Amino acid sequence: MATIQLEPGVHWVGVKDWGRRLFDGLIPLPQGTSYNAYLVRGTHSCALIDTVNPGFEEALLSNLRAVGVPPTHIVMNHAEPDHAGAIPRLLGEFPDARLLTSVKGKEMAHALYSIPDERVDTVGTGDTLELGGKTLQFSDAPFVHWPETMFTYLREEKILFPCDFLGAHSAVGVYTDELEDWEAAAKRYFGEIMMPFRKAGQRALQTAEELDLRLIAPSHGPVHQDPERVLSLYRRWTEGVTEPKVTVAYVSMWGATERLVLALVHALLEQGVSVRVFPLPQTDLGELAKELVDSRAVVLGGPTVLGGLHPAAAYAALLVRALKPPAERAALLTSYGWGGGAARQAEEILQGTKLELAGVLEVHGAPRAEHYTQAAELAATLTRGW
Ligand code: FEO
């Protein structure tokens, strides 16, 4: 594995995981991902910023050996194992190295990796570390993505290392212009990882915007040579700016729910509304998350099965609740053969969101003409005022 020098004395020493296809047991990774770690060499000290996923320790150590300067400090911007899982091995390999992290990070390093407190120095907003001609400046950035997260900024080279924030799950490329569909990958990543933390994201964005930036080097995906490009996208996404667009996720057993869904979709298209349709459970949930980033409404379709909402639709509803998209309204389409239950369960799940339920269309048996009319009326209610 080769290292890459981003600037004199600043090296990418991470790992590309081309074969990984699932993250957190939840998020599909069609392009794999990278665990970006960076080595910053000063004249008297050397800091490693973040590490790699467990299982890649040898690759990271090999990269560090290739640069030839052992780290005196390891900066843990984030305690999640894909960035911090190699820290125990690193601290063993470099017994004099200090671990630098936030106060909460210290607690988590102990809880997750049994790192002894005496190996850890805590830093917070405004603290700096002088490496000799290179100065690291730290900022707390809680909840992008966990409560302990922080940013590291290299003053002289004007490089921000924001760990998960502003990243993308892709193993492709060193810089964003090498990734043809970078914006789509970044949006998908935002939907999956950052959308539930939009308020925290706005605060973190403000922290980034107060810095003079030449490069942004996140810990997943390519490095940004045009910081404003990603920052301007994040302004919209963290603010929750939506488009006149409806995301539809549905599952059907014998076609009744599907016919209702398609009638509503047709009515939306006739109105000139943009629609994204995801047949469950074949859907790539990352694509669903991506569309939720700026959809103004969500439609859930699922029949009753075994007295409740079809499990695939329930999963989608739970996902919507967990991801907290900025959409304003929802609609529910459902059908049943001999006894309902799906509508009640779906409404219970969606009660945990800020979505206004614009309407529920529930059909006993196969949809008839009046139901298609009702689906069209529901489309109009869903989009009123757009
Ligand atoms: Fe890439 Fe929250 O870890």
Side-chain angles (χ1 to χ4, degrees):
M1 180 71 71
T3 67
I4 296 162
Q5 181 165 286
L6 301 180
E7 294 285 336
V10 183
H11 306 261
W12 179 88
V13 290
V15 170
K16 289 186 179 292
D17 192 348
W18 298 96
R20 188 162 183 173
R21 285 293 173 266
L22 196 62
F23 201 86
D24 287 349
L26 177 69
I27 298 164
L29 302 177
Q31 300 182 3
T33 192
S34 62
Y35 317 115
N36 300 334
Y38 302 93
L39 194 69
V40 180
R41 300 165 54 185
T43 54
H44 58 73
S45 299
C46 179
L48 175 65
I49 300 173
D50 294 319
T51 70
V52 295
N53 201 81
F56 292 92
E57 294 90 343
E58 286 308 320
L60 174 59
L61 287 166
S62 165
N63 289 348
L64 294 176
R65 282 192 285 271
V67 177
V69 184
T72 56
H73 298 81
I74 299 169
V75 176
M76 187 182 82
N77 278 326
H78 179 23
E80 195 162 11
D82 50 328
H83 310 292
I87 286 175
R89 177 70 192 281
L90 271 280
L91 288 177
E93 201 73 26
F94 305 105
D96 296 326
R98 307 288 304 163
L99 184 70
L100 265 59
T101 188
S102 64
V103 172
K104 188 73 179 171
K106 179 178 180 179
E107 187 186 312
M108 294 179 82
H110 182 76
L112 292 171
Y113 309 111
S114 303
I115 306 293
D117 286 352
E118 56 270 23
R119 294 293 304 269
V120 185
D121 296 323
T122 60
V123 291
T125 298
D127 288 340
T128 58
L129 175 68
E130 179 56 53
L131 302 173
K134 298 212 185 294
T135 312
L136 299 181
Q137 175 182 319
F138 306 99
S139 307
D140 291 311
F143 289 103
V144 291
H145 155 226
W146 283 4
E148 84 299 354
T149 41
M150 65 178 204
F151 291 170
T152 299
Y153 175 63
L154 175 56
R155 279 183 183 169
E156 289 77 6
E157 274 71 22
K158 301 180 173 43
I159 304 175
L160 177 65
F161 303 96
C163 202
D164 277 345
F165 198 58
L166 309 172
H169 275 314
S170 176
V172 178
V174 175
Y175 297 105
T176 50
D177 58 5
E178 295 166 67
L179 182 53
E180 193 181 348
D181 54 354
W182 166 78
E183 187 172 325
K187 186 176 181 182
R188 175 185 171 113
Y189 176 94
F190 179 89
E192 296 160 337
I193 313 282
M194 294 295 160
M195 190 159 63
F197 305 105
R198 284 190 293 115
K199 283 280 175 244
Q202 284 182 303
R203 287 190 290 272
L205 194 59
Q206 195 176 347
T207 299
E209 286 171 327
E210 286 166 3
L211 300 168
D212 186 8
L213 295 174
R214 282 204 310 113
L215 289 182
I216 296 176
S219 289
H220 293 295
V223 170
H224 307 283
Q225 291 171 303
D226 178 2
E228 180 53 27
R229 184 177 174 208
V230 67
L231 293 177
S232 63
L233 289 170
Y234 264 62
R235 271 179 217 118
R236 293 176 61 80
W237 297 342
T238 58
E239 195 182 322
V241 176
T242 59
E243 308 288 337
K245 179 171 77 174
V246 180
T247 289
V248 180
Y250 80 96
V251 60
S252 193
M253 292 170 68
W254 296 105
T257 299
E258 183 169 54
R259 291 200 288 280
L260 291 175
V261 166
L262 295 181
L264 182 137
V265 167
H266 180 72
L268 290 170
L269 292 172
E270 277 191 327
Q271 289 177 43
V273 172
S274 181
V275 189
R276 300 289 184 276
V277 181
F278 294 95
L280 303 165
Q282 299 92 333
T283 283
D284 175 340
L285 294 176
E287 287 301 302
L288 177 60
K290 184 181 81 172
E291 296 304 333
L292 289 172
V293 168
D294 54 7
S295 286
R296 200 163 289 170
V298 179
V299 172
L300 185 68
T304 291
V305 57
L306 303 173
L309 181 60
H310 189 293
Y315 184 45
L318 286 167
L319 197 69
V320 168
R321 189 170 79 177
L323 293 178
K324 299 182 173 61
E328 298 156 9
R329 296 188 193 128
L332 176 64
L333 303 171
T334 184
S335 59
Y336 63 93
W338 66 91
R344 176 187 44 76
Q345 196 179 356
E347 286 180 59
E348 280 172 9
I349 296 171
L350 294 178
Q351 270 169 11
T353 71
K354 291 183 175 171
L355 291 161
E356 173 205 340
L357 192 55
V360 178
L361 178 52
E362 184 176 41
V363 173
H364 180 193
R368 295 166 292 281
E370 68 266 30
H371 300 123
Y372 296 128
T373 302
Q374 289 166 10
E377 289 167 356
L378 184 50
T381 307
L382 191 65
T383 59
R384 70 182 184 278
W386 289 14

